[in-house]
Amino acid sequence: MTVTLRYFAWVRERIGRAEEQIDLPADITTVGELVQWLKARGPEYAHAFAKADVIRAAIDQTHVKPQAAIGGAREIAFFPPVTGG
Amino acid sequence: MTVTLRYFAWVRERIGRAEEQIDLPADITTVGELVQWLKARGPEYAHAFAKADVIRAAIDQTHVKPQAAIGGAREIAFFPPVTGG
Amino acid sequence: MSVSVQAAAFNIALEVRSLTAGRTDIGAVVTFTGIVRGEAKGHPITSMELEHYPGMTERELARVEALARGRWPLQGVRIIHRIGVLRPGEDIVLVVTLSSHRQAAFEAAEFLMDYLKTSAPFWKKETGADGVGMWVDAREADNKARERWESA
Amino acid sequence: MSVSVQAAAFNIALEVRSLTAGRTDIGAVVTFTGIVRGEAKGHPITSMELEHYPGMTERELARVEALARGRWPLQGVRIIHRIGVLRPGEDIVLVVTLSSHRQAAFEAAEFLMDYLKTSAPFWKKETGADGVGMWVDAREADNKARERWESA
C-alpha cells in the first residue's frame, strides 16, 4: 500500500523533507509501528523521532494516538505538539 | 445641615424631580432614617420609597447601606438597582 | 483616561489600536461589547434610553478598573459606556483588557463586566412599539455573576 | 465560512460588523486577539513564522467551532488565524463569539482559544536578534486550560 507521509515544523527540518510517498510494509499496522520502522531508515529519521512520545500524528488530517490502526490511510502526518493561537 | 438629594430612574419619576435641597433634621443620622422621614413628606415620596429595601443609596457618590451614617454628607442619592452594561 | 461615558458610538479596532500602538509587550487582547437587543421578554423594543449619575459613574468605573488592575497583571484597560437614546443593534458598552497572557485578559474582562453591571450607576429604560417606556429590572444573574469574584 | 487561515491582517471592527450587521438579536460580542510579543523567555525576537498543515487546519478549526456551538447558544463565531512571517506587535489570531448573553460569549471564546491552542496544527518559530530561528515549545498551561473543559 502506498501512503503519503507529511512532516511539519522541526520534524520536517530534521528529516529534511516535507513529504514523501512510501510503500507500507504489510506488517506495519499501527502508527507506533510506522514510527519504529521510520527510525530505522536513517540517521535523519532516528534524530526526528528520537523522542517518539513527543511526536504527534494525524491520519488523513485527523489527530490519532500511536496505537491507532493505519487501515486504508492515504496520508499520515507527523509533527511536534501544536503551538498556534 | 443642608444636603442635596438626588433621584434617578423611576425614583426620580415617582418623586417628580431630579434633585432638591433639604434641611436635615438633627435627629436623622442614617440613610435608613432619612428614607423613613422622606416617606412621610407626601404621597409621591411614599410611592417612590414604598419598597424601601429595593432602593439603593449613595453618599457623596459612593454606594452605602441603609445603616450608613450621614455624617457631613453634601449629596445623598437614591436610585433603583443599577442596570447598565 | 481609560474610562469614558459618552453618547457617541465607538470603534473597537480604533480603541484596541490606541492601546496597543507602538507596544510589543502585549500578547492578548479581549474585548466585550454589549449591544441593544430588539426584544425584551418577548416584546419588541424600538429604543433604549440610558440614564446615569454623572460624576459617580466615572468614579465607579475607575474604582472597578483599579480593582481589576489589582487582581490581574494588565497592560491596559479601556471602558466606554454610552448614554442617551440607543436603537436595537447599537453598541452600549465596550470593555477592553490587555495582558501578556490570555487567561488574565479573559478573566479581567469578565470581572469588569460583572462589576460594571452591578455597581456603575446606569439605568436602562426600554420603549416598546406602543411608545411606553419601561425601566429594566436588575437581573439576579448579574448579582450571582459578581458574587463568584467575592468568594474567589 | 467562519474560519479563515490567511497571511493578511484583519480588522476586528470589520469582522464584528460583518457578523452583527442587520441583526438585533445579539446582546454580547467577545473578541480575543493574540499578538506577537517582542520577547520570548527574556530574549528579544525580531520575527515569528507560522507554519501550518493546510487542509487539516481548516478541518480542526471547523471541528472546534462545532464543539463550541454544541455547548453554548451562539449566534455567530468567527476564527481567523494568520500564517507566514509576523513581526512583534502584529496580530496572530482572532476569535469572535456572539450570543444573547455575555456568559456564553465569554466562555465560548475561552473554550475556542483553549482548543485552538492545543489541537489546530500550527507551529511557531521565533527568530531572535542573532538571526537564529527557534521552534516554540508547547506550554503545559495550555493543556491544563483545555482539560478544564473536558472535566466540566
Side-chain angles (χ1 to χ4, degrees):
Chain A
M1 188 177 85
T2 301
V3 177
T4 300
L5 300 185
R6 302 187 66 176
Y7 310 115
F8 293 94
W10 54 256
V11 175
R12 171 180 55 71
E13 288 183 341
R14 289 183 180 184
I15 291 173
R17 63 182 75 182
E19 66 176 85
E20 62 185 320
Q21 306 258 323
I22 59 157
D23 281 315
L24 197 70
D27 60 337
I28 305 280
T29 60
T30 69
V31 169
E33 287 165 11
L34 175 57
V35 169
Q36 292 311 313
W37 181 77
L38 285 169
K39 279 176 82 166
R41 286 183 97 201
E44 68 276 32
Y45 291 93
H47 182 42
F49 291 103
K51 292 184 180 173
D53 57 329
V54 170
I55 310 286
R56 301 289 182 264
I59 291 181
D60 293 336
Q61 305 191 350
T62 299
H63 291 289
V64 294
K65 303 269 186 207
Q67 57 271 32
I70 289 175
R74 284 169 301 163
E75 179 174 304
I76 303 177
F78 294 102
F79 43 77
V82 304
T83 57
Chain B
M1 188 177 84
T2 302
V3 177
T4 301
L5 300 185
R6 302 188 65 177
Y7 311 115
F8 293 93
W10 53 257
V11 175
R12 171 180 55 72
E13 288 184 341
R14 288 183 181 184
I15 291 174
R17 63 183 73 183
E19 66 175 84
E20 62 184 321
Q21 307 257 322
I22 60 158
D23 281 317
L24 197 69
D27 60 336
I28 304 280
T29 61
T30 68
V31 169
E33 288 164 12
L34 175 57
V35 169
Q36 293 311 312
W37 182 77
L38 286 167
K39 282 176 83 166
R41 287 183 95 200
E44 68 276 31
Y45 291 92
H47 181 42
F49 291 103
K51 291 185 181 173
D53 58 327
V54 169
I55 309 284
R56 300 290 182 265
I59 292 180
D60 293 336
Q61 307 190 349
T62 298
H63 291 289
V64 294
K65 304 268 185 207
Q67 57 271 32
I70 289 175
R74 285 169 301 163
E75 178 174 305
I76 302 176
F78 294 101
F79 42 79
V82 304
T83 56
Chain C
M1 181 66 168
S2 58
V3 167
S4 302
V5 179
Q6 62 187 47
F10 50 77
N11 177 291
I12 304 177
L14 294 180
E15 295 300 332
V16 170
R17 201 170 302 153
S18 78
L19 291 164
T20 58
R23 299 184 66 164
T24 59
D25 58 333
I26 295 158
V29 179
V30 170
T31 76
F32 175 86
T33 310
I35 301 177
V36 182
R37 283 184 290 155
E39 269 201 2
K41 295 176 181 165
H43 294 85
I45 73 157
T46 55
S47 70
M48 170 182 282
E49 185 163 4
L50 273 143
E51 178 172 335
H52 80 124
Y53 184 170
M56 180 168 171
T57 307
E58 292 80 356
R59 283 170 66 117
E60 275 299 299
L61 294 178
R63 187 178 71 83
V64 164
E65 179 189 330
L67 285 177
R69 283 182 179 275
R71 210 161 158 152
W72 290 277
L74 300 176
Q75 287 151 322
V77 173
R78 181 87 171 101
I79 303 175
I80 303 177
H81 203 300
R82 295 179 69 191
I83 49 173
V85 177
L86 302 174
R87 303 199 176 279
E90 281 200 89
D91 296 335
I92 304 169
V93 64
L94 175 68
V95 161
V96 184
T97 54
L98 286 69
S99 187
S100 296
H101 294 290
R102 73 184 185 285
Q103 188 83 7
F106 270 121
E107 286 185 8
E110 282 201 71
F111 174 95
L112 286 167
M113 283 307 304
D114 290 343
Y115 272 70
L116 189 160
K117 287 228 170 216
T118 51
S119 86
F122 291 98
W123 300 275
K124 286 173 182 156
K125 190 178 196 174
E126 294 168 336
T127 300
D130 54 6
V132 177
M134 294 280 283
W135 292 100
V136 173
D137 282 328
R139 291 171 66 235
E140 182 53 29
D142 288 329
N143 292 324
K144 286 263 182 294
R146 174 179 169 152
E147 280 166 18
R148 70 193 156 128
W149 302 108
E150 287 161 1
S151 58
Chain D
M1 181 66 168
S2 60
V3 167
S4 301
V5 179
Q6 62 187 47
F10 51 76
N11 177 292
I12 304 177
L14 294 180
E15 295 300 332
V16 170
R17 201 170 303 151
S18 77
L19 291 163
T20 58
R23 299 184 66 164
T24 59
D25 59 333
I26 295 158
V29 179
V30 170
T31 75
F32 175 87
T33 310
I35 301 177
V36 182
R37 283 187 289 156
E39 269 201 4
K41 295 177 183 166
H43 293 85
I45 74 156
T46 55
S47 70
M48 171 183 280
E49 184 163 5
L50 274 142
E51 178 172 335
H52 79 124
Y53 184 170
M56 180 168 172
T57 307
E58 292 81 356
R59 283 169 66 116
E60 275 298 299
L61 293 178
R63 187 179 70 85
V64 164
E65 179 190 330
L67 285 177
R69 284 182 179 274
R71 210 160 159 154
W72 289 277
L74 300 176
Q75 286 151 323
V77 173
R78 180 85 171 103
I79 302 174
I80 302 178
H81 203 300
R82 295 179 69 193
I83 49 172
V85 177
L86 301 174
R87 303 199 176 278
E90 281 199 87
D91 295 336
I92 304 168
V93 63
L94 175 69
V95 161
V96 184
T97 54
L98 286 70
S99 187
S100 295
H101 294 290
R102 71 184 184 286
Q103 189 82 9
F106 270 121
E107 285 185 9
E110 282 201 70
F111 174 94
L112 286 167
M113 281 308 303
D114 290 343
Y115 271 70
L116 189 161
K117 287 227 170 218
T118 50
S119 86
F122 291 98
W123 300 274
K124 287 175 181 154
K125 191 178 195 174
E126 294 169 337
T127 300
D130 54 5
V132 177
M134 295 279 284
W135 292 100
V136 173
D137 282 329
R139 291 171 66 236
E140 182 52 28
D142 288 329
N143 292 323
K144 285 263 180 296
R146 174 178 170 155
E147 279 166 18
R148 70 193 157 128
W149 302 108
E150 287 161 1
S151 58

